[in-house]
Amino acid sequence: MRQILELGADPVRGFHHPLLKPNRFHSEPRYPVDRYMCLGLYWDPRDYRYHEVIPTSGQVPHGLPGEWSELYARLLEELFPSERGVVPETALVNYYRDGRRMGQHVDKEEEDHVAPVLGVSFGAATRFYFLGPRGEKQSLLLPGNSVYVFGHRARLMPHSVGQPLLKNFSSEAHGLLLPGERLSVTLRRVRGERKLRAP
């Protein structure tokens, strides 16, 4: 977590609030979390595409730390052995505070719709909401310093994230985050053109 905050302090490649395109509902739409950063490929919420450079600055984003890729490989080896050798190409880092939440969405901007997404949650706990195979709404609690993975058939499930919980805060985050603040890191494969097959 300390490493993330240090990378986030970079004035060009670190945490920022990305611009969004005006639409028929909002003349000045706002990204749903307080701050945002990408490591590896940069996902631009204005065009929903991944880029080698940060479009607004032309700068190359921070690289993915080797230990993050190792964690991804280790968990895939255990949970999704068929995905052995898949390497993450980006990490999206969302910094939640002031009660911010992420609305329901599907992670479908990547070309590879098979490789699992690995999420790591630091600081405040939150609820992760998702739709089950029959469309039923389910949820689970994500404590601070927790890891979750979803892949294969669940890879394109609609999901959302609730606001950080003030009363549930990981002790490891004291001195780095304030109660009610949460850092979310999601590692993912982008390129590959693999699509899920219909059941």
Side-chain angles (χ1 to χ4, degrees):
M1 180 172 32
R2 189 181 301 275
Q3 180 186 33
I4 299 170
L5 294 173
E6 289 172 353
L7 293 172
D10 184 300
V12 176
R13 299 181 293 171
F15 284 119
H16 60 286
H17 203 96
L19 300 173
L20 298 180
K21 288 183 178 180
N23 56 50
R24 63 193 179 100
F25 302 107
H26 303 285
S27 59
E28 295 183 13
R30 186 168 173 79
Y31 191 66
V33 306
D34 188 72
R35 289 185 283 173
Y36 169 80
M37 171 176 63
C38 280
L39 286 73
L41 296 175
Y42 182 90
W43 181 71
D44 189 346
R46 292 179 304 172
D47 62 9
Y48 295 90
R49 296 177 64 187
Y50 286 90
H51 302 268
E52 299 278 351
V53 299
I54 302 171
T56 54
S57 69
Q59 295 292 313
V60 176
H62 292 297
L64 274 175
E67 59 269 29
W68 294 17
S69 296
E70 290 171 12
L71 173 64
Y72 184 90
R74 203 161 59 240
L75 287 174
L76 259 59
E77 179 81 25
E78 180 180 343
L79 302 173
F80 294 92
S82 64
E83 297 300 302
R84 186 181 294 112
V86 172
V87 177
E89 296 173 294
T90 188
L92 278 60
V93 186
N94 284 317
Y95 196 144
Y96 294 83
R97 63 182 184 185
D98 299 329
R100 295 195 186 279
R101 65 184 74 198
M102 183 69 72
Q104 183 169 289
H105 63 284
V106 175
D107 293 341
K108 61 183 179 181
E109 282 76 46
E110 298 79 24
E111 295 173 0
D112 191 329
H113 289 173
V114 178
V117 172
L118 165 65
V120 185
S121 186
F122 298 102
T126 190
R127 294 209 74 84
F128 182 88
Y129 299 93
F130 59 97
L131 296 185
R134 291 178 295 279
E136 70 280 16
K137 191 168 185 178
Q138 302 181 41
S139 73
L140 55 87
L141 183 69
L142 290 180
N145 286 12
S146 61
V147 175
Y148 59 97
V149 183
F150 57 96
H152 291 185
R153 191 60 56 200
R155 176 64 179 73
L156 295 178
M157 68 179 175
H159 60 281
S160 61
V161 181
Q163 63 187 22
L165 303 174
L166 287 171
K167 294 183 179 180
N168 294 281
F169 190 66
S170 64
S171 58
E172 295 85 357
H174 285 290
L176 297 173
L177 300 175
L178 296 174
E181 292 186 340
R182 174 177 170 263
L183 272 177
S184 166
V185 180
T186 52
L187 296 166
R188 58 193 72 205
R189 174 83 175 174
V190 174
R191 294 171 287 208
E193 294 287 353
R194 295 190 301 165
K195 306 298 181 185
L196 291 170
R197 295 179 181 176

